[in-house]
Amino acid sequence: GLVMGLIIRYVTKSPDVESGTVYECEKLKSGPSTLLINITNQVYEYQYKREISHHNVNGHQGNAMLQKMTFDPSIFFNILLPPIIFHAGYSLKKRHFFRNLGSILTYAFLGTAISCIVIGLIMYGFVKAMVHIGQLKPREFHFTDCLFFGSLMSATDPVTVLAIFHELNVDTDLYTLLFGESVLNDAVAIVLTHSISTYSPKENPNAFDAAAFFQSVGNFLGIFAGSFAMGSSYAVVTALISFLHLTKFTKLCEFPMLETGLFFLLSWSAFLSAEAAGLTGIVAVLFCGVTQAHYTYNNLSPESKMRTKQLFEFMNFLAENVIFCYMGLALFTFQNHIFSPLFIFGALVAVFVARASNIYPLSFLLNLGRKQKIPVNFQHMMMFSGLRGAIAFALAIRDTESQPKQMMFSTALLMVFFTVWVFGGGTTPMLAWLQIRSV
């Protein structure tokens, strides 16, 4: 992705010699959806695409190739992310997951909230420093923006680490804790990001507004509960259909292609219905996958079991690779990057401090009630495995209109590269250094 992005950025040129030129239309009072322009008695029709800030107009704006390489963020959330999240829920090892459910929920919910707040506070300090030295304008970057950045950077994605764990047959409890935390944590981070973006104090954006805060908390709980109910309901429907097949009320077992098709379409419908209802489809499809793995899978015919498992594995593999390839492309093809060294350094510090503030205190509290304690070397490995990936990238690219959001996106992209390459690549040496044995 990086290599292709580099080639596209510096080899292709804009065919439009007047790209980046802004023409003044003072007679227009608003932006029309369709514009008819008479140029030397030749009438041309132009359609509205999006609003561009003045600081975004640059020499690359007219490069058609770069524009084609810029994905619509809705593609990520509606096409690429659902298979990844569904497969995560569908492939959970149920026995180990439910045995560690309390710990997983603690890390996913409480840990994500702690991480979001810690990153937000640290970044607000760095933003104040940037304002003080003149790198940012006053009131350009609010505390809610810092919390928004904290919520998207709290989404962990240890795909590299878990792949190595699976290959080396690392301790199942450690694998389950990391995998379960990352799966639920993604869903929590998505809903948390949405809730923070809807938090709008009536007066000063940097001031605490109790009414707006409780409205956001209620919004978070309502969306999460509604999405959970929606996904579980669709899973119950598929379980009922498969149960009727098992008890010979239907003859679906004679048509495994139809059985697999129904299973797939109902699972995708959970996502679409949740989005249409104003909920979060990612949360719905996650719990749909978890419930179906528990109830529906065992009622399928042997051929459909194999087909559904392979289908979702393949879609997950394909979507994950497309996203990571596009991350490499985006480093060079995205036209409005803002790289701020101080902000990037602050994000690096904040992510480490937030991960430590999440893992170590919560592990200490959990060990007070756990029969099988979480060893210190497991805690160190969980701290090391806090990689950032597809969810953080997708949440950051969803809104890149303002300068603060563009700075967040560029920083999030670099954080994904750094954590995946450095910590993902260092997984095997770290396992050996911490003396975590394979089983």
Side-chain angles (χ1 to χ4, degrees):
L2 281 168
V3 171
M4 288 305 299
L6 190 66
I7 293 170
I8 291 167
R9 178 68 181 241
Y10 294 106
V11 173
T12 62
K13 292 183 179 179
S14 171
D16 186 1
V17 293
E18 297 200 12
S19 66
T21 304
V22 179
Y23 296 95
E24 302 295 335
C25 300
E26 295 177 358
K27 291 183 180 180
L28 293 176
K29 301 298 181 184
S30 61
S33 58
T34 303
L35 195 64
L36 299 177
I37 300 180
N38 188 338
I39 304 174
T40 61
N41 294 325
Q42 199 69 26
V43 179
Y44 298 90
E45 180 184 0
Y46 291 88
Q47 285 190 327
Y48 173 83
K49 187 176 181 182
R50 67 182 185 277
E51 183 180 352
I52 299 176
S53 302
H54 283 287
H55 68 271
N56 285 345
V57 179
N58 54 50
H60 300 290
Q61 206 68 49
N63 191 325
M65 184 61 75
L66 290 184
Q67 290 175 1
K68 287 175 183 176
M69 289 295 107
T70 304
F71 275 21
D72 184 339
S74 61
I75 292 175
F76 281 103
F77 273 85
N78 297 327
I79 297 175
L80 295 176
L81 280 183
I84 295 173
I85 299 296
F86 180 84
H87 179 261
Y90 194 63
S91 61
L92 277 176
K93 295 179 180 177
K94 297 184 290 293
R95 183 167 61 89
H96 297 286
F97 177 78
F98 288 108
R99 190 173 71 189
N100 293 284
L101 185 61
S103 301
I104 290 169
L105 290 175
T106 303
Y107 287 125
F109 282 86
L110 192 55
T112 305
I114 291 170
S115 178
C116 171
I117 293 167
V118 171
I119 292 175
L121 289 171
I122 292 174
M123 292 313 298
Y124 189 61
F126 274 91
V127 164
K128 284 291 185 184
M130 291 170 71
V131 170
H132 183 71
I133 62 177
Q135 290 188 8
L136 278 176
K137 296 176 184 177
R139 297 185 179 180
E140 186 178 32
F141 214 115
H142 303 298
F143 181 60
T144 49
D145 293 322
C146 296
L147 278 180
F148 179 85
F149 183 71
S151 63
L152 69 90
M153 289 308 298
S154 297
T156 58
D157 185 17
V159 59
T160 315
V161 177
L162 292 174
I164 294 170
F165 278 15
H166 183 73
E167 199 71 30
L168 298 178
N169 291 319
V170 173
D171 187 279
T172 313
D173 282 333
L174 175 60
Y175 182 92
T176 305
L177 284 171
L178 260 179
F179 183 63
E181 180 214 357
S182 69
V183 169
L184 291 179
N185 151 278
D186 287 346
V188 173
I190 289 167
V191 182
L192 189 60
T193 304
H194 178 266
S195 300
I196 290 172
S197 63
T198 59
Y199 172 80
S200 52
K202 294 179 181 178
E203 297 175 359
N204 184 2
N206 289 319
F208 177 75
D209 187 329
F213 171 75
F214 285 113
Q215 186 179 354
S216 293
V217 171
N219 189 25
F220 173 85
L221 296 174
I223 288 176
F224 205 95
S227 303
F228 169 79
M230 181 80 75
S232 301
S233 300
Y234 272 92
V236 168
V237 171
T238 55
L240 184 61
I241 292 172
S242 60
F243 175 74
L244 290 174
H245 137 64
L246 196 69
T247 51
K248 310 301 180 188
F249 281 97
T250 67
K251 295 183 179 180
L252 271 178
C253 58
E254 297 177 13
F255 306 97
M257 190 71 78
L258 177 61
E259 190 178 22
T260 305
L262 278 172
F263 190 100
F264 172 79
L265 289 173
L266 282 169
S267 304
W268 198 281
S269 297
F271 173 83
L272 296 175
S273 301
E275 288 291 323
L279 302 170
T280 302
I282 295 297
V283 178
V285 83
L286 167 65
F287 287 105
C288 181
V290 172
T291 311
Q292 284 180 341
H294 199 60
Y295 294 108
T296 311
Y297 179 76
N298 293 323
N299 293 340
L300 296 174
S301 63
E303 193 171 346
S304 291
K305 281 183 182 179
M306 182 184 69
R307 279 185 174 175
T308 55
K309 191 174 180 181
Q310 289 179 341
L311 173 66
F312 294 127
E313 276 181 359
F314 171 72
M315 290 183 70
N316 169 70
F317 173 80
L318 200 61
E320 218 162 48
N321 276 279
V322 168
I323 287 178
F324 274 90
C325 282
Y326 183 63
M327 284 185 201
L329 276 174
L331 186 63
F332 294 105
T333 59
F334 183 70
Q335 299 171 61
N336 300 311
H337 276 305
I338 298 178
F339 294 107
S340 170
L342 189 57
F343 192 84
I344 294 166
F345 176 72
L348 199 62
V349 172
V351 164
F352 283 115
V353 174
R355 186 68 179 169
S357 304
N358 168 2
I359 295 298
Y360 295 118
L362 292 182
S363 298
F364 173 77
L365 293 174
L366 288 169
N367 279 340
L368 296 177
R370 279 178 65 106
K371 290 182 181 178
Q372 191 172 351
K373 309 297 182 186
I374 303 172
V376 176
N377 59 344
F378 280 21
Q379 295 176 37
H380 292 330
M381 194 65 222
M382 290 178 72
M383 166 73 190
F384 184 82
S385 303
L387 281 66
R388 271 59 186 172
I391 303 293
F393 175 78
L395 288 171
I397 202 175
R398 210 171 190 180
D399 179 10
T400 56
E401 291 302 314
S402 63
Q403 278 185 296
K405 295 292 171 65
Q406 290 165 6
M407 192 183 295
M408 290 182 207
F409 172 68
S410 302
T411 305
L413 190 57
L414 291 181
M415 290 301 299
V416 171
F417 289 154
F418 180 79
T419 54
V420 169
W421 285 340
V422 175
F423 296 110
T427 301
T428 306
M430 183 58 72
L431 285 171
W433 186 64
L434 292 174
Q435 298 179 349
I436 296 175
R437 297 178 180 177
S438 303
V439 291

